[in-house]
Amino acid sequence: MRKTYQFRIYPTRKQTIKLLHVLAMCRHLYNDMLHDRKTAYEDCNCGLSYYDQQRWLPFADYQGVYGHVLQDVLKRVDKAFKAFFRRVKSWEEPGYPRFKGYGRYDSFTYPDVYGHGSKLEGAKLILSKIGAIRIFQHRELEGKVKTCTIKRDGDQWCASFSVELPDAEPVVPQTSVGVDVGITTLATLSDGTEIGNPKTLDKYDSKLRRAHRHLSRKKKGSSNRDKQKVVLSGIYRKVRNIRKDCLHKASRTLSDTYDLIIFEDLQIQNMVKNHHLARSIHDASWGMLISLTTYKAEYAGGAVKLVNPRNTSKECCICGNIQEMPLSQRTYTCPSCGSVMDRDHNAAINIKKGGCLEWQQWKL
Ligand SMILES: [Zn+2]
């Protein structure tokens, strides 16, 4: 299994200039390669593959950038195209891969084997063509490091390492739980426990709105506008970190307490198009809760299962009666067996039932 560690790095002024140079070069390469693919496709209806593009790489002039980092850029272009064709095939709204504008390309990766181009030594991260950057490594790396990605986040930088860990022996589940994710509470468990959203987020709501308002009043292209952009991205980072912290804690609790954790398969749910921004933010944090719980559970020998979300909130968990449940209705009142339950709790129990059933069939 893969696991990612992220640490903040503290480049000097000179190193920052070099990092920004690499980002700019990678962005240019990305856009060039995208352009080549596009024209090849439009002019002669032929596709360019990763290998076609890679052959051209030695002739390109990208001074100050490590060769493998450039190869990774080509892989990103390739990935963007493969995802595009997959979407075309599955009749989703395709959306052609986009050119990356300034500020829209914020990371580059040292791929392949760790030690080629990037290396950790003491409190320094040594990057080929950049130098030794001070790093704050708040925990030890476990497993074999596969890739190292350098990211810019507003005025800060961080390094994330993807490591390969051996899979733990799966245990026979003794304890299982169904989890219903929601908007007012982050998650409701089948035993009735609720995991709330972090309260501090409300405070940042007004801060964000104010920062956006300030930004819109600054003149385009002015240095004041650039400064305000940094302020804004700082607030976004803060919000993201609070949310991430909360998700880490919730997933830790789940994976420590239960062997088999069952969620709804959100990808199926997402097929119903939704344009609300707030909703998409929730979608993102639900997805993250599931992926964090998955790797923590796997690490402990447990498992996460996803079940089809069909009827989980419409069905009575006691007698199986099905009725319409508009979102505003917070309580499930069953006309056929008379049980009265919290809407999300009822759904969580149905999710658990569905998952356990699938689990048993899967074992047979
Ligand atoms: Zn009932």
Side-chain angles (χ1 to χ4, degrees):
M1 66 183 265
R2 282 290 184 108
K3 186 174 176 179
T4 311
Y5 293 90
Q6 189 165 300
F7 307 116
R8 223 180 127 180
I9 55 173
Y10 301 86
T12 61
R13 254 187 111 83
K14 268 191 180 161
Q15 288 168 340
T16 306
I17 292 170
K18 285 184 186 170
L19 289 172
L20 288 172
H21 171 74
V22 174
L23 273 186
M25 284 298 170
C26 289
R27 183 171 74 88
H28 282 302
L29 179 64
Y30 186 94
N31 286 340
D32 280 353
M33 293 297 104
L34 201 62
H35 176 258
D36 285 356
R37 287 204 180 207
K38 220 174 162 172
T39 38
Y41 186 70
E42 284 165 1
D43 292 354
C44 54
N45 209 8
C46 60
L48 288 176
S49 73
Y50 168 75
Y51 294 98
D52 294 331
Q53 297 201 306
Q54 198 204 19
R55 262 191 298 234
W56 169 85
L57 208 51
F59 307 105
D61 181 27
Y62 287 99
Q63 266 190 7
V65 189
Y66 188 64
H68 289 194
V69 170
L70 295 174
Q71 284 177 9
D72 183 71
V73 175
L74 299 192
K75 284 203 185 112
R76 289 188 189 191
V77 177
D78 196 48
K79 221 168 145 187
F81 266 84
K82 282 193 175 135
F84 167 66
F85 286 119
R86 196 189 55 234
R87 287 195 299 268
V88 171
K89 255 191 198 155
S90 64
W91 298 98
E92 287 167 61
E93 215 172 293
Y96 200 79
R98 285 199 196 199
F99 291 103
K100 304 275 187 189
Y102 176 77
R104 291 270 161 198
Y105 200 93
D106 54 9
S107 74
F108 59 91
T109 299
Y110 289 83
D112 305 328
V113 189
Y114 171 74
H116 287 245
S118 64
K119 195 163 64 178
L120 269 173
E121 242 176 51
K124 299 275 185 182
L125 172 65
I126 300 166
L127 297 178
S128 174
K129 305 261 184 180
I130 310 272
I133 304 176
R134 196 159 64 85
I135 185 167
F136 178 59
Q137 202 184 334
H138 57 276
R139 56 202 296 194
E140 276 304 312
L141 289 178
E142 279 176 75
K144 197 172 173 225
V145 180
K146 290 294 198 183
T147 65
C148 168
T149 299
I150 308 298
K151 272 186 210 151
R152 188 184 64 168
D153 185 355
D155 54 345
Q156 295 184 3
W157 293 83
C158 66
S160 59
F161 299 92
S162 172
V163 302
E164 179 79 45
L165 287 168
D167 291 333
E169 277 295 310
V171 293
V172 179
Q174 306 286 329
T175 48
S176 57
V177 69
V179 185
D180 180 60
V181 291
I183 291 178
T184 40
T185 46
L186 173 65
T188 308
L189 311 187
S190 51
D191 63 5
T193 319
E194 286 181 354
I195 302 176
N197 276 313
K199 289 227 162 51
T200 37
L201 282 183
D202 298 338
K203 193 176 82 190
Y204 284 96
D205 227 37
S206 55
K207 274 195 176 181
L208 267 180
R209 226 168 291 149
R210 198 174 331 130
H212 266 294
R213 207 166 50 230
H214 283 315
L215 181 69
S216 65
R217 286 195 195 134
K218 306 277 191 254
K219 225 183 173 163
K220 276 204 174 151
S222 68
S223 67
N224 273 335
R225 193 179 161 92
D226 288 342
K227 273 185 210 152
Q228 185 60 22
K229 273 188 189 161
V230 173
V231 171
L232 187 62
S233 72
I235 303 175
Y236 269 116
R237 178 168 54 223
K238 194 96 195 166
V239 169
R240 218 163 45 233
N241 285 344
I242 293 171
R243 188 170 282 129
K244 215 153 97 179
D245 186 55
C246 167
L247 294 172
H248 266 295
K249 281 186 188 136
S251 58
R252 169 61 57 212
T253 314
L254 285 172
S255 62
D256 279 353
T257 325
Y258 302 99
D259 301 329
L260 176 60
I261 303 147
I262 302 146
F263 289 95
E264 286 177 311
D265 195 340
L266 294 169
Q267 272 175 333
I268 301 181
Q269 217 167 32
N270 282 350
M271 282 175 133
V272 184
K273 265 264 172 227
N274 213 312
H275 291 289
H276 285 289
L277 177 70
R279 173 73 193 216
S280 70
I281 292 170
H282 283 294
D283 276 353
S285 62
W286 294 335
M288 194 166 169
L289 178 66
I290 295 176
S291 71
L292 288 177
T293 312
T294 307
Y295 94 71
K296 282 181 180 139
E298 278 174 3
Y299 191 60
V304 167
K305 263 214 155 291
L306 302 179
V307 294
N308 192 328
R310 195 168 162 259
N311 284 347
T312 46
S313 45
K314 289 182 191 165
E315 194 176 319
C316 168
C317 66
I318 296 172
C319 70
N321 165 63
I322 290 180
Q323 65 181 12
E324 280 307 312
M325 284 290 288
L327 260 177
S328 57
Q329 216 166 312
R330 302 309 307 165
T331 314
Y332 192 101
T333 314
C334 181
S336 106
C337 72
S339 63
V340 179
M341 277 188 105
D342 173 68
R343 172 201 178 92
D344 299 334
H345 187 193
N346 177 59
I349 294 175
N350 284 330
I351 293 168
K352 177 178 171 173
K353 272 191 192 166
C356 288
L357 207 69
E358 270 185 40
W359 179 266
Q360 273 155 5
Q361 283 166 348
W362 181 72
K363 271 204 319 190
L364 286 174

